[in-house]
Amino acid sequence: MEKLVCTWANGRILPENYVFPPSKRPGEHAVMTSQCIPVIDFSMSDSRDRANMVRQIVEAAQHFGFFQVINHGVPRKLMEETRSVLKEFFELPAEEKAEFCSRDLHKNFILFTSSIDYDTEAVHHWRDALRHSCTPIEECKRDWPPKPLNYRDVVGDYVGNLTELGSRILEMICEGLGLEAGYFEELSEDPVLTVNHYPACPDPRLTLGAGKHCDPNLITILLQDEVPGLQVFNNGQWISIQPIPGAFVVNIGHQLQIISNGKLRSVQHRVVTNATKARTTAAFFIGPRKDCLVEPAKAVISPENPAIYKGIQYADLLKTVRAVFTGEMDCALKPHMIEA
């Protein structure tokens, strides 16, 4: 418990084991904003404009690997309640949070700091995190925190809404890639909700809330804070994604890059810290069970477009991404890493 940043950070001292090497430091934050990241209006998803929406999603996934969605159907009130209850959890007394501290990924709910590999990290990330298993939801909820009193109900309702939104997004990606309807159903049956809390940091130039990485799963749906911090690497520079009220940020994971045979991109991103304000975000990772085989879809390969990736078990793909986060290898997914 004493390792949690939120229990000892005082806004004045940045310990040496949180200072990144000069080559990995964020320095002065990127000046570009989310105007470069496509914003897609989902209010027309079931009308004659659906084909245009599908095209926008595929183009965003090809060129940026990220996009924001608005008018998505998740109630604004629920989004605000979720943000509120998550922040309330981190404000609980230390002794009420202590029982959840763990790095055991088999548990339905854990609280940890920096990453699961804290003990072997060369440098720690300036964050504390909650990991929620979400399937089956009613069983998992029993292991979620009883405080704040409405935590389980609010977060459970949020997970249900995000599951539906994720299905809609994947349906449109399915159409855009020319895959049969329902292709992603068995490949998205083990979602995980991770909440990241980044306390105010004494010197944001020297550390990171999350280092450069890519996500291993199909897609990630992020509920941002009003405090910016997420950055995407595009065309040789870091682009800051400024929060849009009521929007979600969606990004493509390695699993979908492989399934699309490289047509859609899983891109590098990171999180910078803030000198005066804490930031709390919720990332909903949609992906498969660990024994799932991830491989290019037959519909996207042909003699003219042969497979550039071989099949890989999702558990092994997770190991690759975990090595990235601990600094052992570059995070961009290249064909030679799992070459066909």
Side-chain angles (χ1 to χ4, degrees):
M1 185 66 191
E2 69 277 2
K3 294 178 180 178
L4 293 176
V5 179
C6 64
T7 62
W8 54 259
N10 57 18
R12 297 185 300 274
I13 299 174
L14 182 66
E16 283 296 319
N17 56 354
Y18 285 85
V19 176
F20 277 72
S23 63
K24 296 183 179 181
R25 294 173 189 171
E28 298 301 327
H29 296 175
V31 296
M32 297 186 67
T33 70
S34 60
Q35 292 177 353
C36 297
I37 302 298
V39 178
I40 302 175
D41 187 343
F42 266 35
S43 62
M44 298 295 185
S45 62
D46 296 319
S47 72
R48 61 186 178 183
D49 291 328
R50 182 180 177 89
N52 185 44
M53 278 191 57
V54 170
R55 177 187 58 78
Q56 290 181 51
I57 290 173
V58 170
E59 288 182 354
Q62 287 177 306
H63 299 297
F64 295 94
F66 273 76
F67 53 93
Q68 299 207 58
V69 295
I70 58 174
N71 298 321
H72 39 66
V74 179
R76 181 77 70 91
K77 181 180 179 182
L78 177 60
M79 296 171 69
E80 293 170 354
E81 288 177 343
T82 301
R83 263 192 294 254
S84 177
V85 78
L86 295 175
K87 291 179 180 180
E88 286 179 37
F89 175 87
F90 284 101
E91 294 168 358
L92 290 173
E95 59 271 17
E96 294 189 26
K97 297 191 291 259
E99 65 176 294
F100 299 107
C101 288
S102 174
R103 293 194 293 276
D104 184 354
L105 294 177
H106 294 96
K107 292 184 176 182
N108 288 329
F109 181 86
I110 58 174
L111 166 62
F112 60 95
T113 193
S114 184
S115 81
I116 296 298
D117 299 296
Y118 181 92
D119 291 337
T120 59
E121 292 173 343
V123 182
H124 301 316
H125 298 88
W126 191 264
R127 72 157 185 172
D128 299 322
L130 308 174
R131 184 185 186 278
H132 308 68
S133 295
C134 301
T135 305
I137 185 67
E138 291 304 321
E139 177 181 322
C140 292
K141 280 171 60 176
R142 291 196 290 268
D143 295 326
W144 295 357
K147 293 183 180 180
L149 293 178
N150 59 339
Y151 190 100
R152 293 173 179 173
D153 289 338
V154 170
V155 177
D157 193 11
Y158 178 78
V159 166
N161 275 262
L162 266 288
T163 300
E164 293 180 8
L165 175 60
S167 294
R168 292 173 60 201
I169 295 171
L170 289 172
E171 283 175 12
M172 286 185 277
I173 291 175
C174 207
E175 292 178 30
L177 293 176
L179 307 179
E180 63 268 24
Y183 183 89
F184 292 115
E185 286 182 6
E186 293 185 0
L187 302 178
S188 59
E189 58 184 11
D190 198 18
V192 171
L193 176 68
T194 297
V195 178
N196 296 305
H197 179 67
Y198 310 97
C201 179
D203 196 340
R205 299 172 303 168
L206 302 181
T207 192
L208 287 164
K212 179 179 68 173
H213 68 287
C214 296
D215 295 344
N217 48 298
L218 276 171
I219 61 171
T220 303
I221 306 176
L222 178 71
L223 175 63
Q224 287 225 74
D225 198 313
E226 65 274 6
V227 180
L230 175 63
Q231 296 186 339
V232 177
F233 196 67
N234 184 266
N235 291 329
Q237 58 187 323
W238 289 101
I239 300 173
S240 295
I241 301 186
Q242 299 297 321
I244 297 175
F248 285 107
V249 177
V250 180
N251 68 278
I252 304 303
H254 279 343
Q255 183 189 3
L256 189 49
Q257 179 171 329
I258 294 169
I259 290 171
S260 69
N261 203 37
K263 182 175 183 178
L264 309 186
R265 296 175 55 210
S266 174
V267 303
Q268 301 173 8
H269 51 287
R270 68 182 186 183
V271 177
V272 297
T273 58
N274 190 286
T276 59
K277 297 178 180 179
R279 178 172 180 264
T280 305
T281 65
F284 190 65
F285 297 94
I286 299 177
R289 300 192 183 279
K290 291 183 179 179
D291 59 357
C292 171
L293 180 67
V294 181
E295 60 185 348
K298 292 180 173 58
V300 301
I301 58 177
S302 66
E304 296 75 28
N305 184 40
I308 60 174
Y309 302 109
K310 67 179 180 181
I312 182 173
Q313 196 171 59
Y314 188 62
D316 293 329
L317 186 59
L318 286 173
K319 292 177 184 177
T320 298
V321 175
R322 195 162 170 180
V324 165
F325 205 77
T326 56
E328 297 175 21
M329 60 186 297
D330 183 52
C331 64
L333 182 64
K334 301 178 180 67
H336 69 80
M337 292 171 61
I338 48 174
E339 191 172 5

